[in-house]
Amino acid sequence: MTDASRERAAGRRRPRQSDIARVAGVSQAAVSLILRGTPSGMALARETRQRVLDAAEELGYVPDPVATRLASARNAMLGLYTFSTTFPTDVAHSYYPVLAGVEEEAAAQGQDLILFTGSARAAARAQDPAAVRRVRVADGCLFFGRHVPEEPIRRLVEDGFPFVYIGRRDEPGVPYVGADYVPASAQVVARLVAAGHRKIRYLREHDQAPASADREEGVLKGAREAGLDTRGLVAPTDGADADALLGGWLAEGVTAVVVEQTDTGAALAGLGAAVGRAGLDCPGDLSLAVLGAATGTRGRAPGGGAAFSGFDVPMREMGRDAVRLLLELIAGSPGAATRRLLPCEPVEGGTIAAPRPPKKHT
Amino acid sequence: MTDASRERAAGRRRPRQSDIARVAGVSQAAVSLILRGTPSGMALARETRQRVLDAAEELGYVPDPVATRLASARNAMLGLYTFSTTFPTDVAHSYYPVLAGVEEEAAAQGQDLILFTGSARAAARAQDPAAVRRVRVADGCLFFGRHVPEEPIRRLVEDGFPFVYIGRRDEPGVPYVGADYVPASAQVVARLVAAGHRKIRYLREHDQAPASADREEGVLKGAREAGLDTRGLVAPTDGADADALLGGWLAEGVTAVVVEQTDTGAALAGLGAAVGRAGLDCPGDLSLAVLGAATGTRGRAPGGGAAFSGFDVPMREMGRDAVRLLLELIAGSPGAATRRLLPCEPVEGGTIAAPRPPKKHT
DNA sequence: CTGAAAGCGCTTACAG
DNA sequence: CTGAAAGCGCTTACAG
């Protein structure tokens, strides 16, 4: 029976550096040096090195990340904290592609991920600062969600803890990777105008968030650039008043509606249902465009098979890029800008057509 | 200027317990006791307590979670290690519901999650034992995936590290939460027989895994119980030879096909395409049943809107239950069995109908 | 080239 | 009822 196997058989305690040291007959500090592959560790006697490496292997040594972190402040773990519901039953939710992108890039960079759970609940109860505080076990953290408690974050900034938002933020100095909604939204309006629409409405949720503000700004920009009247263009909804809104618009001669897609999906769902109940054909009777469905999880137009026209939010790529930026921040060397906006891919879809000619001409 | 505010102004260093101790004129250990609200802390002199609490408040003290965890030897983190591709682009993949269930229960139990990334890749390269070993940073770990390297796992067992498989395992003594495929599969056959089918085929992938073995066992059991001939019943496929298989079956008078759904989905995809190319109506010309789509991510029959008949795998519930079991293991008190099989919910679907009567009767 | 020591910030027995 | 000490597992100067 070797020393090492005796160690292992002795108990369920995890092997630590001092165990390796005893087995290999060196000091614990030497073990640390050798295992970490530091210059001074590399310089140790070849034979000693090998003895330590062998002992570590035999004991099944794995460094304790908590101890490592306390002593050195690095553990190759990135946090992911979300203020939305983390795993909604609805698979089409935008969280999945983000998580996929984050996981993909983290894996590529040799980082593990700590998923901070119950974030949505924690945010609900008075923005409990302790909830956000625990992200500090990781080297850095990614934040995601439309609504973010400000105070705990401010604290993180103060302490110089590295973090990145997924999604644009207004707070100055806060690093983020977001989607470039303004030009993408303006371009959607331009497409409708190009198809012949002049009477357009933009349906958004009451809910305030940078993503919503940017989309609205883009829609207004597009409308102004096309010389459209922007009065009454923007209509906030909670989704429940869609029938009334739609009825009013049809009476006014509105031929196209642009809707924002959020994580609740309330506006789009409400409008879709209203269009269905009104017995309207889309895009025959009404053109529809959606601002920001997640790639690969696009919805379908009411009553039909057509995918919505509009643009995609590059969720997956945002996740990937956020990981890259976070690692730069952790390393202390942000290469490019620390506030980035990624372009949104236009989606052709099948819900935009030329407006029906006025009845008198028929 | 108070002592505390001087401290705060001094630098950006986070205040720690010793700072509070100095300001309040007590020992650092006393600060710990009082701040944690332990019984002995509560017993301290009222006035002393208040001084400490005030100092902590004024300094803006926030406990360092890393140090806390090092000192208390528990980190309230559960690992999740998967041997499948973690986040396939195909959202319908079975990983998502599992992760959702795990996250849900972990949050409910106040545990965070460590996602070990790049697992699929690590498994590919010679079952690198170091890859699996790093799960020990967590208090315990969940494993998921059809194919699992045995050696690293054996090591975990030896060391008494708490872990749970999501999915049934053959290795004795290994705790798992799986799906009860045998009775569910037998019942699918029974339903086909009840609908009038006598000539049935079971299409499975070549790939070996407990889940596949169990489904086949169930299908054979169901067939025997119905008095069907089991010769030629089971047909392994890689998905590419589906046309030939299907053609042969039709010539033989087969009226129903049962397919297994795996994480690759090769068998089902192959058959679906073949049915489409043959111009068959489902279930008019051929009844179809699928063994094990994940809840909420059911596929659709070829060329139609009907959901597949068969059963659902309770992925989400498996994830939840695995977390519960793991926590019991960590606490050292497994309440119920450590090897559990959860029932699969039958799915009515729309791809089973009575077989078409033989032509001569038409 | 190698080993002994101090320290990261906290918790937890254990003496007074 | 209170305080001084040891220790969690590691890293990092700093002496030999």
Coordinates of all heavy atoms in Angstrom, one line a residue, chain A residues 318-362:
Chain A
M318 N -24.5 38.4 -27.9 CA -24.4 39.3 -26.7 C -23.8 38.6 -25.5 O -22.9 39.1 -24.8 CB -25.7 40.0 -26.4 CG -26.2 41.0 -27.3 SD -28.0 41.4 -27.2 CE -28.1 42.1 -25.5
G319 N -24.3 37.4 -25.3 CA -23.8 36.6 -24.2 C -22.3 36.3 -24.4 O -21.5 36.4 -23.5
R320 N -22.0 35.9 -25.6 CA -20.5 35.6 -25.9 C -19.7 36.8 -25.7 O -18.6 36.8 -25.0 CB -20.4 35.2 -27.3 CG -21.1 33.9 -27.7 CD -20.7 33.4 -29.1 NE -19.2 33.3 -29.1 CZ -18.6 32.3 -29.6 NH1 -19.2 31.2 -30.0 NH2 -17.3 32.2 -29.6
D321 N -20.1 37.9 -26.2 CA -19.3 39.1 -26.1 C -19.2 39.6 -24.7 O -18.1 40.2 -24.3 CB -19.8 40.2 -27.1 CG -18.8 41.2 -27.5 OD1 -17.6 40.8 -27.7 OD2 -19.1 42.4 -27.6
A322 N -20.2 39.5 -24.0 CA -20.2 39.9 -22.6 C -19.2 39.1 -21.8 O -18.5 39.7 -20.9 CB -21.6 39.7 -21.9
V323 N -19.0 37.9 -22.1 CA -18.0 37.1 -21.4 C -16.6 37.6 -21.7 O -15.8 37.7 -20.9 CB -18.1 35.6 -21.8 CG1 -16.9 34.8 -21.3 CG2 -19.4 35.0 -21.2
R324 N -16.4 37.9 -23.0 CA -15.1 38.4 -23.4 C -14.8 39.7 -22.7 O -13.7 39.9 -22.2 CB -15.1 38.6 -24.9 CG -15.1 37.3 -25.8 CD -15.0 37.7 -27.3 NE -15.7 36.7 -28.1 CZ -16.8 37.0 -28.7 NH1 -17.3 38.2 -28.7 NH2 -17.4 36.0 -29.4
L325 N -15.8 40.6 -22.7 CA -15.5 41.9 -22.1 C -15.3 41.7 -20.6 O -14.4 42.3 -20.0 CB -16.8 42.8 -22.3 CG -16.8 44.1 -21.6 CD1 -15.5 44.9 -21.9 CD2 -18.0 44.9 -21.9
L326 N -16.0 40.8 -19.9 CA -15.8 40.6 -18.5 C -14.4 40.1 -18.2 O -13.8 40.6 -17.3 CB -16.9 39.6 -18.0 CG -16.8 39.3 -16.5 CD1 -16.9 40.6 -15.7 CD2 -17.8 38.3 -16.1
L327 N -13.9 39.2 -19.1 CA -12.6 38.7 -18.8 C -11.5 39.8 -19.0 O -10.5 39.8 -18.3 CB -12.3 37.5 -19.8 CG -13.0 36.2 -19.3 CD1 -12.9 35.1 -20.4 CD2 -12.5 35.7 -18.0
E328 N -11.8 40.6 -20.0 CA -10.8 41.8 -20.1 C -10.8 42.7 -18.9 O -9.8 43.1 -18.4 CB -11.3 42.6 -21.3 CG -11.0 41.9 -22.7 CD -11.7 42.7 -23.8 OE1 -12.1 43.9 -23.6 OE2 -11.8 42.2 -24.9
L329 N -12.0 42.9 -18.4 CA -12.1 43.7 -17.2 C -11.4 43.1 -16.0 O -10.7 43.7 -15.2 CB -13.6 43.9 -16.8 CG -14.3 45.2 -17.1 CD1 -13.6 46.0 -18.2 CD2 -15.8 45.0 -17.5
I330 N -11.6 41.8 -15.9 CA -11.0 41.0 -14.8 C -9.4 41.1 -14.9 O -8.7 41.3 -13.9 CB -11.4 39.6 -14.7 CG1 -12.9 39.5 -14.3 CG2 -10.6 38.7 -13.8 CD1 -13.5 38.1 -14.5
A331 N -9.0 41.0 -16.1 CA -7.6 41.1 -16.4 C -7.0 42.5 -16.2 O -5.8 42.7 -16.2 CB -7.2 40.5 -17.8
G332 N -8.0 43.4 -16.1 CA -7.6 44.8 -16.0 C -7.2 45.5 -17.2 O -6.6 46.6 -17.2
S333 N -7.5 44.9 -18.4 CA -7.1 45.5 -19.7 C -8.3 45.4 -20.7 O -8.2 44.7 -21.6 CB -6.0 44.7 -20.2 OG -6.4 43.3 -20.4
P334 N -9.3 46.3 -20.4 CA -10.4 46.3 -21.4 C -9.8 46.7 -22.8 O -9.4 47.9 -22.9 CB -11.3 47.3 -20.9 CG -10.6 48.1 -19.8 CD -9.5 47.2 -19.3
G335 N -9.8 45.8 -23.7 CA -9.2 46.1 -25.0 C -10.0 47.2 -25.8 O -9.5 48.3 -26.0
A336 N -11.2 46.9 -26.2 CA -12.0 47.8 -26.9 C -12.9 48.6 -25.9 O -12.6 48.7 -24.8 CB -12.8 47.1 -27.9
A337 N -13.9 49.2 -26.4 CA -14.8 49.9 -25.6 C -15.5 49.0 -24.6 O -15.6 47.8 -24.8 CB -15.9 50.6 -26.5
T338 N -15.8 49.6 -23.4 CA -16.5 48.8 -22.4 C -18.0 48.9 -22.5 O -18.7 48.4 -21.6 CB -16.0 49.2 -21.0 OG1 -16.3 50.6 -20.8 CG2 -14.5 49.0 -20.8
R339 N -18.4 49.7 -23.4 CA -19.9 49.8 -23.7 C -20.1 49.5 -25.1 O -19.7 50.3 -26.0 CB -20.3 51.2 -23.3 CG -20.2 51.5 -21.8 CD -20.2 53.0 -21.4 NE -21.5 53.6 -21.4 CZ -22.3 53.7 -20.3 NH1 -21.9 53.2 -19.2 NH2 -23.5 54.2 -20.4
R340 N -20.7 48.4 -25.4 CA -20.8 48.0 -26.8 C -22.2 47.7 -27.2 O -23.0 47.1 -26.4 CB -20.0 46.7 -27.0 CG -18.6 46.7 -26.5 CD -17.9 45.4 -26.6 NE -16.5 45.5 -26.0 CZ -15.7 44.5 -25.8 NH1 -16.2 43.2 -26.1 NH2 -14.5 44.6 -25.3
L341 N -22.5 48.0 -28.4 CA -23.9 47.7 -29.0 C -23.7 46.9 -30.2 O -22.9 47.2 -31.1 CB -24.6 49.0 -29.4 CG -25.1 49.9 -28.2 CD1 -25.8 51.1 -28.7 CD2 -25.9 49.1 -27.3
L342 N -24.4 45.7 -30.2 CA -24.3 44.8 -31.4 C -25.4 45.0 -32.3 O -26.5 45.3 -31.9 CB -24.3 43.4 -30.8 CG -23.0 42.7 -30.5 CD1 -21.9 43.7 -30.0 CD2 -23.2 41.6 -29.4
P343 N -25.1 44.9 -33.6 CA -26.2 45.1 -34.6 C -27.3 44.1 -34.6 O -27.0 42.9 -34.3 CB -25.5 45.1 -36.0 CG -24.2 44.3 -35.7 CD -23.9 44.6 -34.3
C344 N -28.5 44.5 -34.9 CA -29.6 43.5 -34.9 C -29.9 43.2 -36.4 O -30.0 44.0 -37.3 CB -30.9 44.2 -34.4 SG -30.8 44.6 -32.6
E345 N -30.0 41.9 -36.6 CA -30.2 41.4 -38.0 C -31.7 41.6 -38.4 O -32.6 41.1 -37.7 CB -29.9 39.9 -38.0 CG -29.8 39.3 -39.4 CD -28.5 39.7 -40.1 OE1 -27.6 40.2 -39.5 OE2 -28.5 39.6 -41.4
P346 N -31.9 42.2 -39.6 CA -33.2 42.4 -40.1 C -33.8 41.0 -40.4 O -33.1 40.1 -40.9 CB -33.1 43.2 -41.4 CG -31.7 43.8 -41.3 CD -30.9 42.9 -40.5
V347 N -35.1 40.8 -40.2 CA -35.8 39.6 -40.5 C -36.8 39.9 -41.5 O -37.8 40.7 -41.3 CB -36.4 38.9 -39.3 CG1 -37.3 37.7 -39.7 CG2 -35.4 38.5 -38.3
E348 N -36.7 39.2 -42.7 CA -37.6 39.5 -43.8 C -39.1 39.1 -43.4 O -39.9 40.0 -43.4 CB -37.2 38.6 -45.0 CG -38.2 38.6 -46.2 CD -38.1 39.9 -46.9 OE1 -37.1 40.6 -46.9 OE2 -39.2 40.4 -47.4
G349 N -39.3 37.9 -42.9 CA -40.6 37.5 -42.4 C -41.7 37.6 -43.5 O -41.4 37.8 -44.7
G350 N -42.9 37.5 -43.1 CA -44.0 37.5 -44.1 C -45.2 38.3 -43.6 O -46.3 38.0 -44.0
T351 N -44.9 39.3 -42.8 CA -46.1 40.0 -42.2 C -46.1 41.5 -42.7 O -46.8 42.3 -42.1 CB -46.1 40.0 -40.7 OG1 -44.8 40.5 -40.2 CG2 -46.3 38.6 -40.2
I352 N -45.2 41.8 -43.7 CA -45.3 43.1 -44.3 C -45.7 43.0 -45.8 O -45.0 42.2 -46.5 CB -43.9 43.8 -44.2 CG1 -43.5 44.1 -42.7 CG2 -43.9 45.2 -45.0 CD1 -42.2 44.8 -42.5
A353 N -46.7 43.7 -46.2 CA -47.1 43.7 -47.6 C -47.5 45.2 -47.9 O -47.6 46.0 -47.0 CB -48.2 42.8 -47.8
A354 N -47.8 45.4 -49.1 CA -48.3 46.7 -49.5 C -49.7 46.9 -48.9 O -50.4 45.9 -48.7 CB -48.4 46.9 -51.0
P355 N -50.0 48.1 -48.5 CA -51.3 48.4 -47.9 C -52.4 48.1 -49.0 O -52.2 48.3 -50.2 CB -51.3 49.8 -47.5 CG -50.2 50.4 -48.2 CD -49.2 49.4 -48.5
R356 N -53.6 47.6 -48.5 CA -54.7 47.4 -49.4 C -55.1 48.8 -50.0 O -55.2 49.8 -49.3 CB -55.9 46.9 -48.6 CG -56.6 45.8 -49.3 CD -57.8 45.3 -48.5 NE -57.5 44.1 -47.7 CZ -57.3 42.9 -48.3 NH1 -57.1 42.8 -49.6 NH2 -57.1 41.9 -47.5
P357 N -55.4 48.9 -51.3 CA -55.8 50.2 -51.9 C -57.1 50.6 -51.3 O -58.0 49.7 -50.9 CB -55.9 49.9 -53.4 CG -55.9 48.4 -53.5 CD -55.2 47.8 -52.3
P358 N -57.4 51.9 -51.1 CA -58.7 52.3 -50.6 C -59.8 51.7 -51.4 O -59.8 51.5 -52.6 CB -58.6 53.8 -50.8 CG -57.2 54.2 -50.9 CD -56.5 52.9 -51.4
K359 N -61.0 51.5 -50.7 CA -62.1 50.7 -51.2 C -62.7 51.3 -52.5 O -63.0 50.7 -53.4 CB -63.2 50.7 -50.2 CG -62.9 49.8 -49.0 CD -64.1 48.9 -48.7 CE -63.8 47.9 -47.7 NZ -63.5 48.5 -46.4
K360 N -62.8 52.7 -52.6 CA -63.4 53.4 -53.7 C -62.7 53.0 -55.0 O -63.4 53.0 -56.1 CB -63.4 54.9 -53.5 CG -62.0 55.4 -53.2 CD -62.0 56.9 -52.9 CE -60.6 57.4 -52.5 NZ -60.6 58.8 -52.0
H361 N -61.5 52.6 -55.0 CA -60.8 52.3 -56.2 C -61.1 50.8 -56.7 O -60.7 50.4 -57.8 CB -59.3 52.4 -56.1 CG -58.9 53.8 -56.0 ND1 -58.8 54.7 -57.1 CD2 -58.6 54.6 -54.9 CE1 -58.5 55.9 -56.7 NE2 -58.3 55.9 -55.4
T362 N -61.7 50.0 -55.8 CA -61.8 48.6 -56.1 C -62.8 48.4 -57.2 O -63.9 48.8 -57.2 CB -62.3 47.8 -54.8 OG1 -61.4 48.1 -53.8 CG2 -62.3 46.3 -55.1

